[in-house]
Amino acid sequence: MRPFVYNALPGRVVFGNGTLSKLPEEVKRIGCSKALVLTTPQQTKEGENARALLGDLAVGVSNSATMHTPVDVTEKAVELATKLGADCLVAIGGGSTTGLAKAIALRTDLPQIVVPTTYAGSETTPIIGQTESGYKTTQKSLKVLPEVIIYDVSLTLTLPPKLVVTSGINAIAHAVEALYSQDSNPMIDNLAEQGISKIARSLPTIVSSPDDLEARSDALFGAWACGTCLGAVGMALHHKLCHTLGGSFDLPHSETHTVVLPHAMAYNAPYASEAMNTIARALGVDKAGKSAALGIFELIQSLGGPLSLKELGMREEDLDRAADIAAGSPYPNPAPLEREKLRKLLGDAWAGKRPE
């Protein structure tokens, strides 16, 4: 057994079907009685339903959550939480809503209960990304780690097939980078392989049979597993590129992760062969002799997911600037980070080229 260091993160997980009904109980369990419910504008209905469920335990709803957690949006939400005297936060939605809850908690230390409706996985991590003046930065702090996560499989039934695919691949990306992280360890390695396998095998079923609760349950469990990997170890090139593309060029979060992942994997493959073998096995493409990067690419293609940055609205003339930003600050990664090679990676992702 190789030497390793593993830090387990605190937190309570309630997983099942219909578990949203436990929300009032969980608010009381953490000693709170004045919850501020957070959502995006698109999920206002879900936020109002949660408020009705909480009754007197809720003091209001904010539907201002936005992609990439803009600082100005957070500041307004903090003002509202203070004005209403909120003593905890209830976030219902995907990564945008969870991000807003984390950003408020960072500034106020309010406890959080997160109810994910996508496979983003950020609810499991002490990591927060925030955008200001066109740049997205990240930091780690236990202040932003949610105290409780309520996974209700029924809430994912309305997740559109297109978002099922991109959200699922986004989750897989967390586990992929955990496997070649400098902080990797046997526990996270096993969880990463399990998470990738659960999601990769459930996505085709969900796309073809959206009401399949077993597949939805497997995908949601896989998202928890992959998110837990993200929270336990450091990330690398893939996440750096996606933060650059999202924060500086306003590309959509999960779609960007979906397009970039095969190319980031191909870039790192020569320096992370053991991790790639594990990923190929989890995807079920190892016996066919396919690379992990090609396996992910073909999975996305078969599910009708986005394959190019061009189709996400990225301008080809912005690729040089993106490469400059991505290469501008050092960060751990298996393969050496060379500006021209990063530019080629981005060019391949822009064109939707099959990874070699």
Side-chain angles (χ1 to χ4, degrees):
M1 179 65 71
R2 72 179 191 270
F4 67 89
V5 174
Y6 171 59
N7 290 309
L9 295 173
R12 174 177 169 84
V13 175
V14 180
F15 190 102
N17 189 25
T19 49
L20 182 63
S21 63
K22 298 182 181 294
L23 181 57
E25 175 186 337
E26 294 300 324
V27 169
K28 293 176 183 177
R29 182 185 288 273
I30 61 175
C32 296
S33 60
K34 297 179 179 180
L36 174 61
V37 179
L38 306 173
T39 69
T40 62
Q42 295 78 18
Q43 293 186 295
T44 298
K45 180 180 178 181
E46 287 83 352
E48 292 295 344
N49 289 343
R51 180 180 186 175
L53 180 63
L54 287 167
D56 292 342
L57 294 173
V59 293
V61 176
S62 170
N63 65 351
S64 61
T66 306
M67 265 196 321
H68 309 305
T69 319
V71 169
D72 59 328
V73 172
T74 298
E75 290 172 348
K76 291 178 182 177
V78 169
E79 290 178 8
L80 179 62
T82 302
K83 178 182 176 181
L84 296 175
D87 61 5
C88 71
L89 305 166
V90 172
I92 298 185
S96 297
T97 307
T98 302
L100 178 59
K102 287 182 171 185
I104 297 172
L106 182 66
R107 292 158 174 80
T108 65
D109 212 18
L110 288 175
Q112 307 166 70
I113 298 175
V114 177
V115 186
T117 60
T118 71
Y119 309 131
S122 58
E123 68 276 359
T124 65
T125 79
I127 303 168
I128 179 172
Q130 302 179 92
T131 302
E132 187 174 20
S133 302
Y135 289 91
K136 189 170 186 177
T137 58
T138 61
Q139 62 176 293
K140 271 191 174 184
S141 170
L142 286 177
K143 288 179 69 174
V144 307
L145 181 69
E147 280 72 12
V148 181
I149 310 169
I150 298 177
Y151 289 107
D152 187 338
V153 177
S154 66
L155 296 181
T156 67
L157 287 172
T158 57
L159 192 63
K162 183 177 180 180
L163 190 51
V164 165
V165 174
T166 58
S167 182
I169 300 299
N170 179 21
I172 286 176
H174 307 329
V176 165
E177 293 226 298
L179 284 166
Y180 53 64
S181 167
Q182 64 176 0
D183 305 317
S184 66
N185 59 74
M187 282 78 77
I188 293 301
D189 287 356
N190 290 335
L191 196 59
E193 183 172 359
Q194 186 178 14
I196 294 169
S197 178
K198 285 284 188 182
I199 294 176
R201 283 162 172 74
S202 62
L203 289 184
T205 301
I206 295 172
V207 170
S208 62
S209 304
D211 295 330
D212 191 312
L213 275 176
E214 189 65 29
R216 294 271 186 176
S217 181
D218 283 349
L220 196 57
F221 174 81
W224 169 80
C226 293
T228 299
C229 295
L230 171 67
V233 300
M235 295 290 104
L237 172 63
H238 170 78
H239 283 76
K240 176 67 174 181
L241 289 175
C242 291
H243 287 158
T244 296
L245 294 170
S248 298
F249 302 94
D250 201 31
L251 295 190
H253 183 79
S254 64
E255 291 89 340
T256 302
H257 277 270
T258 300
V259 170
V260 171
L261 182 59
H263 304 282
M265 290 170 62
Y267 186 101
N268 279 324
Y271 297 84
S273 57
E274 184 176 346
M276 296 303 161
N277 290 338
T278 299
I279 297 163
R281 183 170 63 244
L283 292 172
V285 302
D286 55 325
K287 294 181 180 179
K290 295 181 181 179
S291 69
L294 183 57
I296 283 285
F297 183 89
E298 290 185 343
L299 176 63
I300 297 166
Q301 187 175 46
S302 71
L303 297 172
L307 296 172
S308 71
L309 294 176
K310 181 180 180 180
E311 66 188 282
L312 301 185
M314 183 78 178
R315 301 186 308 170
E316 188 173 16
E317 55 264 36
D318 286 334
L319 294 177
D320 283 323
R321 179 170 167 243
D324 290 339
I325 295 172
S329 57
Y331 47 93
N333 189 68
L337 300 172
E338 301 175 24
R339 194 270 180 197
E340 291 309 310
K341 289 184 177 180
L342 292 176
R343 174 60 178 81
K344 181 181 183 303
L345 184 165
L346 288 167
D348 290 346
W350 183 83
K353 182 180 177 182
R354 287 172 68 86
E356 298 176 358

